[in-house]
Amino acid sequence: MVDINWDELGFDFIPTDKMFISKADASGNYDEGKVVPFGNIELSPAACVLNYGQGVFEGMKAQRTKDGKIVLFRPLENGKRMKESAERLAIPPYDPEKFVEAVKATVLANKDYIPPYKKGSLYIRPILFGSGAILGVAPSPEYTFIVFVVPVGPYYKEGFNPIKLEIIKNYHRAAPKGTGAAKAIGNYAGSLVPGKLTKSKGFAQEVYLDAKNEKYIEEVGTANFFCVVDGVLLTPRLTGSILPGITRKSVIQLAKDKLGMTVEEKDIPYEETFKSSEAFCTGTAAVITPIGSITFEEKEYIFNDFKVGPVTQKLYDLLVGIQRMEIDDSYNWVEVVK
Ligand SMILES: *Cc1c(COP(=O)(O)O)cnc(C)c1O
């Protein structure tokens, strides 16, 4: 057994026992891959990923159900998205079905690190990058796919509390026709400075506007945005500079099917969000995070008296219930790992 105090888990790196690794040549012939002891890897200082940022990643989680099963949520969606992200960066894609097999093998090899029911989850981090040495700007001659896992605590230890956001105008996350729709590693380095500035002012995260018009809501830090205006659930349409979240996609479906709501994926001018009766953002780690207020140019717009709204709560309960196999999963979104 592993020596972890499950009640003190946060979202910090902790080494685990095993990782999965597979390599490919320039034409993308990945070897069958294997589970190996977790540890450092060796890279040439000329590795393409270090010099030119040719790398993509995914984020997913495994958790335990009440009766002890190990479950994943829509893992093939992550596999397909990693393929699309890879293609955008000229990385030979890793087969999505094999991706799921690799994820399952890594989870099982680190079974002892999966927190007990409701104590958190095993965060899964697949990465794929150009590991070959290169000097001129060109795709790497070699690629490495790795899956590693880290146990993390429950996101809402202190309760399901609405957060404060700030709309920023000095920085953009992604540009039209750029790499915003890919989970490309370079997108995240650029968000560190704006993220830090916003947090230093007491906000949880920054809201990005579109780079072309500086008018439409794009994303919240590293999560997708939703708001309810006049009873309609609104979310930014996938313009190419927005990351197509799997939680986003799932929430849209649940809102339509289970709450009978009208959902509009459209350009949302930031002023329109000020009229929201409630708002939230979505991502794998936190699932759904309620938004209590949005500040723009020093003025704070508060939603639902800073309380969790009914739509936010219902969608959270539905999604988390399905993920833990406590609500009928008519979509077959949940996969048991054996
Ligand atoms: C990963 C990510 C999301 C959320 O995607 P999920 O599939 O729901 O986890 C949203 N925005 C950005 C920028 C991301 O990197």
Side-chain angles (χ1 to χ4, degrees), residues 225-234 261 272-273 275-280 311-312 315:
F225 178 84
F226 284 85
C227 61
V228 180
V229 176
D230 298 329
V232 176
L233 185 61
L234 306 179
M261 290 184 82
E272 190 170 347
T273 67
K275 302 182 290 186
S276 305
S277 54
E278 55 187 290
F280 59 88
V311 174
T312 309
L315 288 169

Side-chain angles (χ1 to χ4, degrees), residues 33-322:
K34 53 183 186 288
V35 173
V36 299
F38 180 86
N40 292 349
I41 54 167
E42 207 164 82
L43 277 181
S44 163
C48 192
V49 65
L50 296 180
N51 293 269
Y52 303 126
Q54 195 192 17
V56 298
F57 70 98
E58 272 302 322
M60 39 206 301
K61 59 192 187 187
Q63 41 189 335
R64 288 221 183 254
T65 61
K66 203 169 190 169
D67 59 1
K69 287 193 187 77
I70 301 167
V71 290
L72 294 170
F73 184 69
R74 311 186 78 175
L76 188 59
E77 292 290 321
N78 294 89
K80 289 183 192 160
R81 185 169 65 191
M82 181 170 255
K83 178 171 187 278
E84 281 160 20
S85 298
E87 280 164 350
R88 176 66 184 81
L89 298 203
I91 297 173
Y94 195 80
D95 178 72
E97 313 265 350
K98 287 190 179 145
F99 169 101
V100 175
E101 291 312 309
V103 164
K104 288 181 176 172
T106 316
V107 168
L108 286 178
N110 293 286
K111 218 159 73 189
D112 293 347
Y113 290 88
I114 308 174
Y117 175 65
K118 284 197 177 172
K119 295 281 185 191
S121 53
L122 191 69
Y123 185 76
I124 305 162
R125 174 50 63 80
I127 56 177
L128 176 58
F129 55 93
S131 46
I134 197 155
L135 195 58
V137 179
S140 170
E142 181 203 86
Y143 294 88
T144 302
F145 173 63
I146 290 176
V147 183
F148 68 92
V149 295
V150 179
V152 298
Y155 216 85
Y156 294 107
K157 242 184 217 170
E158 274 100 49
F160 193 42
N161 293 322
I163 56 170
K164 287 182 183 222
L165 301 180
E166 181 192 31
I167 296 177
I168 57 166
K169 276 200 132 175
N170 294 344
Y171 295 93
H172 293 300
R173 192 191 80 90
K177 305 178 187 178
T179 57
K183 245 175 146 71
I185 58 174
N187 292 346
Y188 301 83
S191 72
L192 297 176
V193 164
K196 203 170 149 188
L197 281 173
T198 306
K199 285 184 187 102
S200 73
K201 288 193 261 171
F203 299 102
Q205 286 201 54
E206 68 282 14
V207 178
Y208 292 102
L209 297 179
D210 78 286
K212 188 176 176 194
N213 306 289
E214 304 203 299
K215 181 174 156 85
Y216 304 112
I217 301 280
E218 291 239 306
E219 291 202 55
V220 178
T222 54
N224 294 115
F225 178 84
F226 284 85
C227 61
V228 180
V229 176
D230 298 329
V232 176
L233 185 61
L234 306 179
T235 193
R237 72 185 170 92
L238 299 177
T239 53
S241 49
I242 291 173
L243 198 287
I246 295 159
T247 320
R248 173 188 181 278
K249 187 171 168 178
S250 308
V251 159
I252 290 173
Q253 183 137 23
L254 290 173
K256 287 181 185 167
D257 296 356
K258 310 283 175 185
L259 304 186
M261 290 184 82
T262 303
V263 182
E264 283 179 20
E265 295 178 59
K266 60 164 209 157
D267 291 333
I268 307 172
Y270 63 84
E271 303 95 331
E272 190 170 347
T273 67
F274 302 157
K275 302 182 290 186
S276 305
S277 54
E278 55 187 290
F280 59 88
C281 50
T282 64
T284 292
V287 186
I288 288 178
T289 305
I291 300 171
S293 75
I294 292 186
T295 296
F296 179 69
E297 290 176 342
E298 318 289 311
K299 184 157 173 19
E300 184 179 23
Y301 299 87
I302 295 175
F303 310 132
N304 197 41
D305 292 329
F306 227 91
K307 293 193 303 272
V308 181
V311 174
T312 309
Q313 186 71 54
K314 280 181 204 155
L315 288 169
Y316 179 80
D317 292 342
L318 275 168
L319 197 46
V320 169
I322 291 173

